[in-house]
Amino acid sequence: MSEFTPKGLVFCVSGPSGVGKGTIIAELRKITPSIIHSISVTTRQPRPGEMDGIHYYFRQPDEFQQMMAQGEILEHDSYCGNFYGTPRKPLIEATEQGRDVLMDVTVPGSLAVMENFPDAITLFLLPPSFTELRRRLTKRGTENPEVVEKRLQKAREEIEKARLFQYVVVNDDIQITARKILSIAEAERCRYERMAGVEKLIMSK
Ligand code: 5GP
């Protein structure tokens, strides 16, 4: 099987702010360090502890526009007054090398990915309840109450779009959620279209 290197999977993960996308992605990377997290570009201000080039590439709006104009952004969205986008090149290079990539994007970002990158696996993370989502967003304490309310309002709209995703996982427990996502990845890897031609290789040996 050594001559057969399938492309890496692209996981497009969406879900309301506070559902735990960042935590799940960190957990997945802890279990499987070869998974790459696509680092987005944003015009939002860094939160305490966030570092440029690790959590995001923090850029000015004009720099973001320039990247867009140069075709460097695969998909983008404006969310609560800031721009967010996925750099194209690192994602394509990683998958060509057979490495899996996780994208953490808004719902409209996922819809754009479904349209322009149909090979991507789309997954929606749901909170166990709306009450729990409010609790997690408030507990995080990184946003003021007005921003929390804005994000909760946005969450209602986003959750209505869960039905458009291929997979839905309720994030009640980090370890269980991570295990479910890794199981989805294993199943996706066995899809014939991702393995096409492997049977010929096996029969030639
Ligand atoms: P936050 O400000 O909490 O880091 O992110 C706000 C929202 O932007 C989250 O829902 C997150 O998934 C989304 N987001 C982060 N990076 C990207 C990106 O590159 N593209 C899109 N469309 N959304 C993103």
Side-chain angles (χ1 to χ4, degrees):
M1 291 281 288
S2 60
E3 303 91 327
F4 192 80
T5 312
K7 270 193 195 173
L9 304 173
V10 175
F11 263 93
C12 188
V13 181
S14 274
S17 179
V19 76
K21 284 169 289 181
T23 313
I24 292 299
I25 288 175
E27 180 68 17
L28 288 168
R29 295 203 61 233
K30 201 167 90 188
I31 304 171
T32 315
S34 61
I35 296 182
I36 290 175
H37 173 214
S38 162
I39 303 169
S40 300
V41 186
T42 184
T43 59
R44 149 164 101 57
Q45 290 298 311
R47 294 186 185 123
E50 281 186 334
M51 280 180 284
D52 186 51
I54 293 179
H55 299 92
Y56 279 105
Y57 296 110
F58 296 99
R59 295 291 180 267
Q60 296 302 316
D62 59 326
E63 293 173 298
F64 190 93
Q65 293 303 336
Q66 198 180 343
M67 291 180 78
M68 291 267 302
Q70 288 171 350
E72 292 172 28
I73 303 289
L74 186 101
E75 66 69 44
H76 75 283
D77 192 14
S78 134
Y79 177 90
C80 294
N82 292 299
F83 286 108
Y84 295 79
T86 304
R88 182 189 302 276
K89 205 170 155 210
L91 185 140
I92 303 293
E93 280 177 0
T95 57
E96 295 291 340
Q97 290 163 12
R99 298 187 69 180
D100 297 343
V101 180
L102 291 162
M103 300 166 74
D104 162 1
V105 298
T106 56
V107 171
S110 280
L111 300 186
V113 170
M114 289 174 201
E115 187 92 7
N116 305 322
F117 208 84
D119 199 34
I121 301 152
T122 58
L123 190 147
F124 195 91
L125 277 182
L126 276 171
S129 66
F130 199 73
T131 310
E132 173 61 14
L133 185 67
R134 179 186 290 277
R135 195 193 66 78
R136 287 183 194 172
L137 265 179
T138 312
K139 195 181 120 209
R140 189 157 85 180
T142 50
E143 269 88 22
N144 64 47
E146 201 186 311
V147 174
V148 168
E149 283 313 312
K150 222 164 141 186
R151 287 186 173 228
L152 283 171
Q153 179 50 38
K154 194 95 183 160
R156 289 183 195 280
E157 298 163 20
E158 289 170 328
I159 290 172
E160 278 178 26
K161 302 270 168 44
R163 62 193 165 79
L164 301 174
F165 287 71
Q166 292 169 321
Y167 295 95
V168 173
V169 178
V170 176
N171 182 26
D172 208 350
D173 176 285
I174 298 162
Q175 271 86 32
I176 295 173
T177 300
R179 222 180 312 132
K180 283 184 184 171
I181 297 175
L182 291 174
S183 304
I184 293 169
E186 284 312 304
E188 283 286 336
R189 242 184 281 284
C190 297
R191 276 183 181 271
Y192 181 75
E193 56 266 36
R194 299 194 196 279
M195 294 290 282
V198 72
E199 72 277 36
K200 286 199 187 82
L201 184 66
I202 283 171
M203 294 309 285
S204 71
K205 289 184 181 176

